[in-house]
Amino acid sequence: MIKRLLDMWPVYRQITGADWLGRGKAVQSKRSRTLKPRTEEADRVVHSVCPYCAVGCSQNVFVKDEKVIQIEGNPNSPVNRGRLCPKGSCSKQLVTGPQRENYVLYRPPYGTEWQRMDLDTAMDKVADRVLDARRRGWQDTDDQGRALRRTLGFAGLGGAALDNEENYLIKKLFTALGAIQIENQARI
């Protein structure tokens, strides 16, 4: 009985065992000996990029039963070498948190309540409004008859949370639509 009680005490295990410095099994509790990594049960690992800033830290997303169970830094990445900042470390909450909206919300003009809207209807509404703003703000020529072929009906502001490729494609889209007021958060 006393031997069993002493075996539960880490200092006794350290002194009587081979782990004199107390860096191994001598100082492990019963619970810590049975712990397994959260990622051990994952079905697959998906490589991703952290969505928060423009650094582009690489992430390993661990998936089990088509649900995200853990997100960690990718140790093979030359950008972050497996490390994530506090926001990147919490990006699992962005995907699985109870506050995450899983549907489109729309509040009509002068409305006081948000309404759910299916994605196709919302995308059509956005496209219609962009094309209407383009048409209403279109300037084909200036006062002297010089060709302008532009619109002042809308502007674009890119974000630092987007990577270079996304910002490049948004710039191309807005330029193709005739917008000239295109800026990025990184320059402001």
Side-chain angles (χ1 to χ4, degrees):
M1 170 93 167
I2 294 177
K3 169 84 167 111
R4 204 168 127 210
L5 287 173
L6 285 173
D7 281 340
M8 292 173 58
W9 194 37
V11 174
Y12 177 77
R13 289 193 309 257
Q14 182 179 343
I15 294 170
T16 60
D19 185 17
W20 281 68
L21 296 176
R23 295 185 183 167
K25 293 191 184 253
V27 292
Q28 284 184 344
S29 68
K30 183 179 176 184
R31 181 180 173 273
S32 63
R33 280 192 295 268
T34 60
L35 288 176
K36 296 183 296 187
R38 284 178 268 201
T39 58
E40 188 175 281
E41 298 177 359
D43 297 332
R44 61 191 168 108
V45 178
V46 179
H47 299 289
S48 184
V49 177
C50 180
Y52 284 111
C53 72
V55 172
C57 293
S58 181
Q59 294 180 324
N60 288 337
V61 180
F62 296 87
V63 180
K64 179 181 180 179
D65 300 328
E66 297 305 311
K67 294 188 178 181
V68 175
I69 60 170
Q70 180 68 12
I71 298 178
E72 296 178 354
N74 184 350
N76 297 324
S77 170
V79 175
N80 59 319
R81 297 180 298 207
R83 298 188 280 286
L84 293 173
C85 72
K87 286 177 81 172
S89 296
C90 294
S91 56
K92 179 183 172 212
Q93 292 176 9
L94 181 69
V95 179
T96 61
Q99 315 87 312
R100 179 180 171 89
E101 297 291 349
N102 295 311
Y103 41 82
V104 177
L105 292 176
Y106 172 72
R107 191 175 74 196
Y110 307 106
T112 58
E113 300 292 323
W114 290 95
Q115 304 168 358
R116 286 190 185 183
M117 182 181 288
D118 66 284
L119 183 60
D120 289 335
T121 304
M123 294 299 286
D124 288 342
K125 192 176 285 277
V126 169
D128 291 342
R129 289 182 177 181
V130 166
L131 293 175
D132 182 53
R134 179 181 186 260
R135 181 188 48 76
R136 284 187 291 114
W138 188 256
Q139 296 176 336
D140 207 28
T141 58
D142 65 6
D143 298 343
Q144 299 169 354
R146 293 179 290 210
L148 294 175
R149 291 189 292 274
R150 67 182 187 192
T151 184
L152 300 176
F154 60 88
L157 177 62
L162 304 177
D163 61 27
N164 289 340
E165 291 80 10
E166 290 170 308
N167 278 315
Y168 174 80
L169 291 173
I170 290 170
K171 168 79 165 95
K172 285 292 198 184
L173 170 66
F174 277 55
T175 301
L177 288 169
I180 59 170
Q181 299 157 320
I182 305 169
E183 192 53 80
N184 190 292
Q185 173 191 0
R187 284 179 20 108
I188 296 177

Short mmCIF file of all heavy atoms in Angstrom, two decimals, residues 130 133-139 148-155 174 177-181:
data_model
loop_
_atom_site.label_atom_id
_atom_site.label_comp_id
_atom_site.label_asym_id
_atom_site.label_seq_id
_atom_site.Cartn_x
_atom_site.Cartn_y
_atom_site.Cartn_z
N VAL A 130 -24.56 45.30 -59.36
CA VAL A 130 -23.28 45.74 -59.93
C VAL A 130 -23.49 46.24 -61.35
O VAL A 130 -23.00 47.31 -61.74
CB VAL A 130 -22.22 44.61 -59.89
CG1 VAL A 130 -21.03 44.94 -60.76
CG2 VAL A 130 -21.78 44.36 -58.45
N ALA A 133 -25.38 49.59 -61.29
CA ALA A 133 -24.50 50.69 -60.87
C ALA A 133 -23.51 51.03 -61.99
O ALA A 133 -23.22 52.21 -62.24
CB ALA A 133 -23.74 50.31 -59.61
N ARG A 134 -23.04 50.02 -62.69
CA ARG A 134 -22.12 50.25 -63.83
C ARG A 134 -22.83 51.05 -64.92
O ARG A 134 -22.28 52.01 -65.46
CB ARG A 134 -21.64 48.91 -64.37
CG ARG A 134 -20.72 49.04 -65.56
CD ARG A 134 -20.32 47.64 -66.03
NE ARG A 134 -19.35 47.71 -67.07
CZ ARG A 134 -19.62 47.59 -68.37
NH1 ARG A 134 -20.85 47.38 -68.76
NH2 ARG A 134 -18.66 47.68 -69.25
N ARG A 135 -24.04 50.64 -65.25
CA ARG A 135 -24.80 51.31 -66.31
C ARG A 135 -25.13 52.76 -65.94
O ARG A 135 -24.93 53.68 -66.73
CB ARG A 135 -26.09 50.53 -66.58
CG ARG A 135 -26.97 51.12 -67.69
CD ARG A 135 -28.31 50.44 -67.80
NE ARG A 135 -29.01 50.27 -66.54
CZ ARG A 135 -29.64 51.24 -65.89
NH1 ARG A 135 -29.65 52.47 -66.36
NH2 ARG A 135 -30.27 51.00 -64.76
N ARG A 136 -25.58 52.98 -64.68
CA ARG A 136 -25.96 54.33 -64.26
C ARG A 136 -24.75 55.26 -64.13
O ARG A 136 -24.85 56.46 -64.33
CB ARG A 136 -26.72 54.29 -62.94
CG ARG A 136 -28.16 53.80 -63.14
CD ARG A 136 -29.02 53.88 -61.89
NE ARG A 136 -28.61 52.92 -60.87
CZ ARG A 136 -28.10 53.26 -59.69
NH1 ARG A 136 -27.93 54.52 -59.37
NH2 ARG A 136 -27.74 52.34 -58.82
N GLY A 137 -23.58 54.73 -63.76
CA GLY A 137 -22.39 55.56 -63.58
C GLY A 137 -21.47 55.57 -64.79
O GLY A 137 -20.36 56.08 -64.70
N TRP A 138 -21.91 55.02 -65.90
CA TRP A 138 -21.04 54.88 -67.08
C TRP A 138 -20.74 56.24 -67.71
O TRP A 138 -21.62 57.09 -67.86
CB TRP A 138 -21.68 53.97 -68.11
CG TRP A 138 -20.74 53.65 -69.23
CD1 TRP A 138 -20.77 54.17 -70.48
CD2 TRP A 138 -19.63 52.76 -69.20
NE1 TRP A 138 -19.75 53.66 -71.23
CE2 TRP A 138 -19.03 52.79 -70.46
CE3 TRP A 138 -19.08 51.96 -68.21
CZ2 TRP A 138 -17.91 52.03 -70.75
CZ3 TRP A 138 -17.97 51.21 -68.51
CH2 TRP A 138 -17.40 51.25 -69.78
N GLN A 139 -19.47 56.45 -68.07
CA GLN A 139 -19.04 57.63 -68.80
C GLN A 139 -18.35 57.15 -70.07
O GLN A 139 -17.25 56.60 -70.01
CB GLN A 139 -18.06 58.46 -67.96
CG GLN A 139 -18.66 59.02 -66.71
CD GLN A 139 -17.62 59.75 -65.86
OE1 GLN A 139 -16.43 59.48 -65.95
NE2 GLN A 139 -18.08 60.67 -65.04
N LEU A 148 -13.64 57.73 -72.77
CA LEU A 148 -13.31 57.39 -71.39
C LEU A 148 -13.58 55.90 -71.13
O LEU A 148 -12.77 55.21 -70.57
CB LEU A 148 -14.13 58.23 -70.41
CG LEU A 148 -13.85 59.73 -70.39
CD1 LEU A 148 -14.82 60.44 -69.45
CD2 LEU A 148 -12.42 59.98 -69.97
N ARG A 149 -14.78 55.47 -71.50
CA ARG A 149 -15.22 54.07 -71.30
C ARG A 149 -14.91 53.59 -69.89
O ARG A 149 -14.13 52.68 -69.66
CB ARG A 149 -14.60 53.15 -72.35
CG ARG A 149 -15.16 53.42 -73.74
CD ARG A 149 -14.71 52.37 -74.73
NE ARG A 149 -13.30 52.41 -75.03
CZ ARG A 149 -12.73 53.19 -75.95
NH1 ARG A 149 -13.48 53.98 -76.67
NH2 ARG A 149 -11.44 53.16 -76.16
N ARG A 150 -15.56 54.24 -68.91
CA ARG A 150 -15.34 53.90 -67.51
C ARG A 150 -16.64 54.12 -66.73
O ARG A 150 -17.58 54.72 -67.22
CB ARG A 150 -14.24 54.77 -66.91
CG ARG A 150 -14.64 56.23 -66.81
CD ARG A 150 -13.54 57.09 -66.27
NE ARG A 150 -14.00 58.45 -66.03
CZ ARG A 150 -13.20 59.46 -65.78
NH1 ARG A 150 -11.90 59.28 -65.74
NH2 ARG A 150 -13.68 60.66 -65.57
N THR A 151 -16.63 53.63 -65.50
CA THR A 151 -17.77 53.88 -64.62
C THR A 151 -17.28 54.42 -63.29
O THR A 151 -16.22 54.04 -62.81
CB THR A 151 -18.60 52.60 -64.38
OG1 THR A 151 -19.75 52.94 -63.59
CG2 THR A 151 -17.81 51.52 -63.68
N LEU A 152 -18.05 55.33 -62.75
CA LEU A 152 -17.82 55.82 -61.40
C LEU A 152 -18.92 55.32 -60.47
O LEU A 152 -19.09 55.81 -59.37
CB LEU A 152 -17.77 57.35 -61.39
CG LEU A 152 -16.67 57.98 -62.25
CD1 LEU A 152 -16.77 59.50 -62.23
CD2 LEU A 152 -15.30 57.54 -61.77
N GLY A 153 -19.68 54.32 -60.96
CA GLY A 153 -20.82 53.80 -60.22
C GLY A 153 -20.46 52.92 -59.04
O GLY A 153 -21.28 52.70 -58.15
N PHE A 154 -19.27 52.38 -59.02
CA PHE A 154 -18.84 51.57 -57.89
C PHE A 154 -17.32 51.59 -57.82
O PHE A 154 -16.64 52.01 -58.74
CB PHE A 154 -19.37 50.13 -57.97
CG PHE A 154 -18.93 49.38 -59.20
CD1 PHE A 154 -17.74 48.68 -59.23
CD2 PHE A 154 -19.72 49.39 -60.34
CE1 PHE A 154 -17.34 48.00 -60.36
CE2 PHE A 154 -19.33 48.71 -61.48
CZ PHE A 154 -18.14 48.02 -61.49
N ALA A 155 -16.82 51.16 -56.69
CA ALA A 155 -15.38 51.12 -56.45
C ALA A 155 -15.02 49.78 -55.83
O ALA A 155 -15.89 49.04 -55.39
CB ALA A 155 -14.97 52.26 -55.51
N PHE A 174 -12.72 44.10 -61.78
CA PHE A 174 -13.20 45.47 -61.68
C PHE A 174 -12.72 46.32 -62.85
O PHE A 174 -13.44 47.19 -63.34
CB PHE A 174 -12.79 46.09 -60.34
CG PHE A 174 -13.72 45.73 -59.21
CD1 PHE A 174 -14.00 44.42 -58.91
CD2 PHE A 174 -14.32 46.72 -58.47
CE1 PHE A 174 -14.85 44.09 -57.89
CE2 PHE A 174 -15.18 46.40 -57.43
CZ PHE A 174 -15.45 45.08 -57.15
N LEU A 177 -14.84 45.53 -65.78
CA LEU A 177 -16.16 46.15 -65.66
C LEU A 177 -16.11 47.65 -65.89
O LEU A 177 -17.15 48.30 -65.96
CB LEU A 177 -16.75 45.87 -64.27
CG LEU A 177 -17.21 44.43 -64.03
CD1 LEU A 177 -17.52 44.22 -62.56
CD2 LEU A 177 -18.42 44.12 -64.87
N GLY A 178 -14.92 48.23 -65.99
CA GLY A 178 -14.78 49.66 -66.27
C GLY A 178 -14.54 50.51 -65.04
O GLY A 178 -14.50 51.74 -65.14
N ALA A 179 -14.39 49.91 -63.88
CA ALA A 179 -14.16 50.69 -62.66
C ALA A 179 -12.75 51.26 -62.67
O ALA A 179 -11.81 50.62 -63.13
CB ALA A 179 -14.36 49.82 -61.42
N ILE A 180 -12.61 52.48 -62.15
CA ILE A 180 -11.28 53.07 -62.05
C ILE A 180 -10.89 53.34 -60.59
O ILE A 180 -9.74 53.59 -60.30
CB ILE A 180 -11.17 54.38 -62.86
CG1 ILE A 180 -12.19 55.40 -62.38
CG2 ILE A 180 -11.32 54.09 -64.34
CD1 ILE A 180 -11.99 56.77 -62.96
N GLN A 181 -11.86 53.26 -59.70
CA GLN A 181 -11.60 53.51 -58.29
C GLN A 181 -11.34 52.17 -57.61
O GLN A 181 -12.22 51.58 -56.99
CB GLN A 181 -12.79 54.23 -57.66
CG GLN A 181 -13.04 55.57 -58.32
CD GLN A 181 -14.48 56.02 -58.12
OE1 GLN A 181 -15.40 55.23 -58.18
NE2 GLN A 181 -14.64 57.31 -57.86
#
